[in-house]
Amino acid sequence: DGLVVGRPPGAPGRVEAKLKLSRDASHYRVYVSPQGKPCVTEYEVVAEFLAPDGAAVSQLRCSPVTGRTHQIRAHMAHLGCPLVGDGKYGSRGATRRQFEWCPRLFLHCARVALVD
């Protein structure tokens, strides 16, 4: 589960956006690109809140269909709803304000399943 800024459009929804790894070795980051690898994330809104700083936030249940690096982080930012506390894919100013009430990235694994 993750906490994002705002409410993603069309929830529940599905993001199908190719992700490409940045070529800059000093910054490990992915971005949406037509030249990227296929990538799919499904999501649903679990709850909506007002954060202590007054921002509207949504708790999401995200299910990565593919398993790319930073997939959920990059897809939520692509929708305009970065994860709370995400200094890499969110706004630095907003992340600084969020650190006053959430001092780390708000993304947690709720369940792990192995498929044979």
Side-chain angles (χ1 to χ4, degrees):
D1 286 9
L3 193 67
V4 298
V5 177
R7 179 182 170 84
R14 179 179 174 102
V15 182
E16 295 185 42
K18 293 180 177 182
L19 294 178
K20 184 173 174 109
L21 183 62
S22 171
R23 294 196 182 271
D24 182 1
S26 65
H27 297 93
Y28 196 76
R29 190 173 196 280
V30 297
Y31 58 96
V32 172
S33 167
Q35 290 81 37
K37 293 182 180 178
C39 193
V40 178
T41 304
E42 295 175 343
Y43 62 90
E44 63 179 295
V45 175
V46 176
E48 296 179 87
F49 309 96
L50 275 181
D53 64 359
V57 295
S58 299
Q59 179 185 353
L60 299 185
R61 178 141 308 125
C62 297
S63 300
V65 177
T66 51
R68 307 278 180 228
T69 301
H70 296 183
Q71 173 177 326
I72 295 171
R73 297 170 71 183
H75 274 173
M76 292 304 108
H78 176 66
L79 292 178
C81 298
L83 288 156
V84 167
D86 195 346
K88 187 173 291 257
Y89 294 95
S91 154
R92 286 188 183 162
T95 301
R96 276 192 220 108
R97 288 189 300 279
Q98 293 161 1
F99 275 2
E100 293 174 9
W101 57 271
C102 183
R104 60 192 172 89
L105 177 65
F106 202 112
L107 180 63
H108 306 280
C109 180
R111 183 174 59 94
V112 175
L114 301 174
V115 179
D116 188 9

